[in-house]
Amino acid sequence: MQNITILGATGSIGQSTLDVVRRNSDRYSVFALTANRQVDLIVEQCREFSPLYAVMADSESAKALSAILRREGLPTEALSGVDGLRLVSAHDDVDMVMAAIVGAAGLLPTLAAVEAGKRILLANKESLVMAGALFMDAVQRHGAELLPIDSEHNAIYQCLPVNYGAEQESSGVRRILLTASGGPFRTTELDALQAVTPEQACAHPNWPMGRKISVDSATMMNKGLEAIEACWLFGLQPDDVEVVIHPQSIIHSMVDYVDGSVLAQMGNPDMRTPIAYGMAWPGRIDSGVDPLDLVKMGRLDFEAPDYKRFPCLQLAFDAVSSGGTAMAILNAANEVAVDAFLNHRIGFCHIAELNREVLEVLEACPADDLQTVLDADRSARQQAQALITQGKYGWEAR
Ligand code: NAD
Ligand code: MG
């Protein structure tokens, strides 16, 4: 039996992970579940999976959860805050940790799991974007097993040689083809983009996901963050990563080799495939995903990305080329911008404008230690908030 901690259990990835556990309950047992504030949903999950611990972000939610758990006589203990998250990530009895908290909040608990040498199922791309060098170094030093869950990176992982070890040249890898659906606004009139609503931005054509990553997919910042993620995971330079729009989301990404071979991983767009892959690696288990029907699909299309339509994509490539804290700055500015957009405080196109301005105002420096990264994250958030408060990017200024 393998014990799993699920960070961000109430989210889209968290719930898909629990579904894979449910289908393979003879192999996996839930050690701990965590959530931000969704007490009702985590109670439901505790009833079904009887974890040892459930961790809420704040003590008030943990108190509310604890009262319900006791009233119902459930065996789960409620904890709170980063200390609680660290405990359930690094506990001796834990075999693998699903890192599926959204945003920078995922960094410290994920690092705790890395430092405890666990198998990390990495969905939380933001932690790698913020602190890639430190993160990958910690993986090496602590002998953690890092399995990418982001569907593109999972696909690339599956298409790389078994003992790849980030040695691009000797393994004959020419480049990575990172596929992107293009999101809900791939063909929207450019003039109409600024007026799109959060609801339209969150209506992804192929993947049901949390609201933050849905907006990132609509701006294609998600693909930018993924390009950065790919550079860290697979030891690549930005020029080695080519983004290809593939609206059907059937090919999840490809590896192009020097002999002209291109290996692709395909499947229906359902995150339970990469999740099950990460959990069972190097084996395979049932994920509940329908078999791919290529004849029914009929066709697969490809096109080049339009950087004018999706300026966030260029910002991400620029940030990875700048290096150091530039990526943490971009990530933090983007989290604030997306939140402001979701709360009707700024318009859709302001997300890229705000990100660009924060990157211009703040100077990047080498990201040599965690404190430097956390400081860059904080400064970028403050700067982005200040620019929003000044009203320059107001929703009404559309
Ligand atoms: P989501 O918004 O559906 O869920 C986020 C989870 O994190 C929830 O359980 C929430 O309670 C928790 N959380 C949020 N803020 C928190 C905080 N401050 N402290 C502690 N917990 C907090 O998001 P999601 O779509 O499941 O995405 C999760 C991560 O996985 C993101 O980093 C995303 O980029 C990545 N990812 C998601 C998908 C997908 O299909 N949903 C695909 C690839 C990668
Ligand atoms: Mg992805």
Side-chain angles (χ1 to χ4, degrees):
M1 206 53 143
Q2 301 256 292
N3 280 334
I4 182 166
T5 280
I6 304 175
L7 304 173
T10 53
S12 165
I13 293 285
Q15 295 186 57
S16 292
T17 306
L18 284 171
D19 190 58
V20 177
V21 170
R22 186 181 288 126
R23 289 164 192 277
N24 297 276
S25 55
D26 53 327
R27 298 183 55 156
Y28 303 98
S29 162
V30 176
F31 179 83
L33 297 172
T34 88
N36 195 14
R37 293 201 187 86
Q38 299 89 328
V39 173
D40 290 348
L41 183 49
I42 208 163
V43 165
E44 230 175 84
Q45 296 177 336
C46 288
R47 285 191 197 112
E48 182 178 354
F49 294 96
S50 307
L52 218 52
Y53 297 103
V55 187
M56 305 304 294
D58 60 88
S59 55
E60 219 167 284
S61 308
K63 244 188 240 160
L65 171 63
S66 182
I68 302 173
L69 293 170
R70 262 183 280 139
R71 197 173 64 224
E72 295 195 15
L74 295 171
T76 306
E77 184 181 336
L79 305 173
S80 68
V82 175
D83 288 345
L85 291 172
R86 281 201 172 111
L87 186 148
V88 300
S89 295
H91 197 286
D92 279 350
D93 293 344
V94 171
D95 299 296
M96 59 181 82
V97 175
M98 166 54 78
I101 289 175
V102 60
L107 177 62
L108 296 180
T110 307
L111 269 183
V114 169
E115 285 162 6
K118 305 297 183 195
R119 172 176 292 200
I120 316 294
L121 310 176
L122 188 71
N124 174 238
K125 65 193 84 187
E126 294 92 343
S127 53
L128 210 46
V129 169
M130 287 174 77
L134 298 167
F135 193 105
M136 294 308 288
D137 179 56
V139 167
Q140 284 292 329
R141 266 187 303 123
H142 299 280
E145 222 171 17
L146 185 57
L147 284 147
I149 299 303
D150 215 343
S151 58
E152 295 77 3
H153 307 76
N154 190 269
I156 295 162
Y157 190 89
Q158 295 196 42
C159 295
L160 284 171
V162 176
N163 294 318
Y164 173 65
E167 278 134 23
Q168 188 195 349
E169 232 166 86
S170 60
S171 56
V173 171
R174 176 156 43 204
R175 62 185 177 153
I176 297 299
L177 300 170
L178 195 65
T179 52
S181 69
F185 305 137
R186 184 173 57 89
T187 57
T188 305
E189 289 284 329
L190 281 181
D191 290 349
L193 275 183
Q194 176 67 339
V196 299
T197 63
E199 287 60 42
Q200 290 171 311
C202 288
H204 196 278
N206 304 336
W207 303 91
M209 304 179 286
R211 284 166 75 76
K212 192 264 179 181
I213 184 176
S214 295
V215 176
D216 283 349
S217 299
T219 60
M220 279 193 80
M221 175 55 87
N222 183 51
K223 211 49 56 182
L225 299 179
E226 289 182 356
I228 299 174
E229 186 185 8
C231 288
W232 289 121
L233 279 172
F234 306 119
L236 304 172
Q237 297 302 312
D239 282 352
D240 302 328
V241 180
E242 184 173 332
V243 174
V244 180
I245 304 271
H246 164 46
Q248 293 92 350
S249 299
I250 294 297
I251 295 183
H252 300 308
S253 278
M254 296 170 257
V255 178
D256 179 2
Y257 286 91
V258 287
D259 63 1
S261 300
V262 177
L263 300 193
Q265 185 263 355
M266 295 192 272
N268 284 317
D270 188 321
M271 288 307 292
R272 289 175 301 175
T273 295
I275 291 168
Y277 180 88
M279 285 169 65
W281 183 88
R284 301 262 181 185
I285 52 173
D286 173 35
S287 65
V289 176
D290 289 338
L292 178 60
D293 186 340
L294 276 174
V295 173
K296 201 166 132 205
M297 265 328 292
R299 57 186 276 184
L300 301 178
D301 296 307
F302 305 95
E303 57 192 61
D306 175 352
Y307 285 86
K308 212 165 114 214
R309 175 181 293 275
F310 299 115
C312 284
L313 189 55
Q314 188 61 53
L315 289 180
F317 274 100
D318 293 348
V320 67
S321 300
S322 306
T325 53
M327 291 163 274
I329 292 170
L330 175 62
N331 179 66
N334 183 59
E335 284 190 32
V336 173
V338 169
D339 186 67
F341 169 69
L342 284 171
N343 287 297
H344 300 274
R345 294 180 66 203
I346 66 172
F348 182 75
C349 300
H350 290 146
I351 297 174
E353 289 171 32
L354 189 59
N355 288 340
R356 183 193 311 280
E357 186 159 355
V358 175
L359 272 172
E360 278 167 8
V361 172
L362 297 181
E363 208 154 309
C365 62
D368 291 336
D369 58 78
L370 194 56
Q371 197 51 52
T372 304
V373 170
L374 296 175
D375 288 347
D377 175 83
R378 202 190 46 242
S379 306
R381 279 168 205 275
Q382 283 168 352
Q383 186 65 47
Q385 286 295 2
L387 289 168
I388 293 169
T389 308
Q390 283 166 21
K392 184 169 164 198
Y393 295 110
W395 178 256
E396 58 287 342
R398 275 187 288 162

